[in-house]
Amino acid sequence: AALETTQDVIGGHREGDLAEVVVLYVRGGRLTDTASWSLRTEVATSELLSAFLTQHYGAGSEGGTVPPDEILLPCALEVGEGFAELLSERSNRRVAIGTPKRGPRAGLVKMACDNAEHAFSQKRRAREDTLGRLSEMQERLRLTMLPRRIECCDISHLGGADTVGSI
């Protein structure tokens, strides 16, 4: 790819109905940014990616992220060619959607999928840690149910006057 080519590399990881989608933003041959989204879905991965692309780049006349020259995916989409034409029309330049099998582009897709798997694992660990702490709180406070909401109050004053409070 030419150095001036812009690419969005999309990777995904899923376990059951939980999925993580990662986008690597490659600009001028360099990875400039990444973003990830956690999703809950029952649909097949190709349908999930189609829906993600539609939402991320905007299906209507307004909105969405400005599409790059090339969008790389881990699996082919039924709507891939039509969606590429729609994005090309809207951005007044050619937008290609591809599923590379080997070479540097395939390496980028693998990196995106690895990042999605890593983000999925980190978020699962954080969820489990939170549940563990809430269970411990439930036990220590002898609550009948796991806490679903925790509220804190703070009452203060400004220079000895003007009492203020927040919850």
Side-chain angles (χ1 to χ4, degrees):
L3 276 182
E4 48 286 340
T5 299
T6 61
Q7 297 170 308
D8 285 0
V9 185
I10 298 173
H13 178 78
R14 73 183 295 168
E15 291 181 17
D17 65 344
L18 299 176
E20 192 75 21
V21 175
V22 165
V23 179
L24 306 180
Y25 299 97
V26 179
R27 304 295 182 261
R30 296 178 185 264
L31 178 63
T32 60
D33 198 9
T34 64
S36 73
W37 292 266
S38 299
L39 308 166
R40 184 179 294 269
T41 183
E42 297 289 332
V43 302
T45 300
S46 62
E47 289 179 59
L48 170 67
L49 290 176
S50 291
F52 175 80
L53 288 177
T54 302
Q55 196 136 32
H56 189 65
Y57 297 106
S61 55
E62 85 288 329
T65 301
V66 174
D69 299 327
E70 185 175 57
I71 299 171
L72 302 177
L73 299 165
C75 63
L77 307 180
E78 287 180 28
V79 297
E81 209 45 53
F83 193 68
E85 288 175 23
L86 174 71
L87 291 177
S88 297
E89 259 178 49
R90 277 208 354 242
S91 58
N92 293 319
R93 63 181 165 68
R94 184 174 182 277
V95 175
I97 295 179
T99 310
K101 298 297 180 215
R102 57 180 127 17
R105 284 180 170 92
L108 286 171
V109 172
K110 183 181 179 333
M111 183 191 313
C113 289
D114 290 348
N115 282 4
E117 184 176 2
H118 180 72
F120 185 93
S121 298
Q122 274 190 311
K123 289 177 182 178
R124 180 177 48 205
R125 271 196 301 278
R127 242 186 341 267
E128 289 168 356
D129 188 43
T130 300
L131 285 174
R133 288 175 188 219
L134 289 174
S135 294
E136 185 180 327
M137 182 184 290
Q138 177 185 10
E139 188 178 312
R140 283 187 177 192
L141 297 176
R142 297 186 183 113
L143 303 174
T144 57
M145 294 174 44
L146 198 65
R148 293 181 52 184
R149 185 168 87 189
I150 299 173
E151 295 179 359
C152 300
C153 298
D154 181 35
I155 306 296
S156 188
H157 58 85
L158 304 173
D162 300 324
T163 303
V164 294
S166 65
I167 186 167

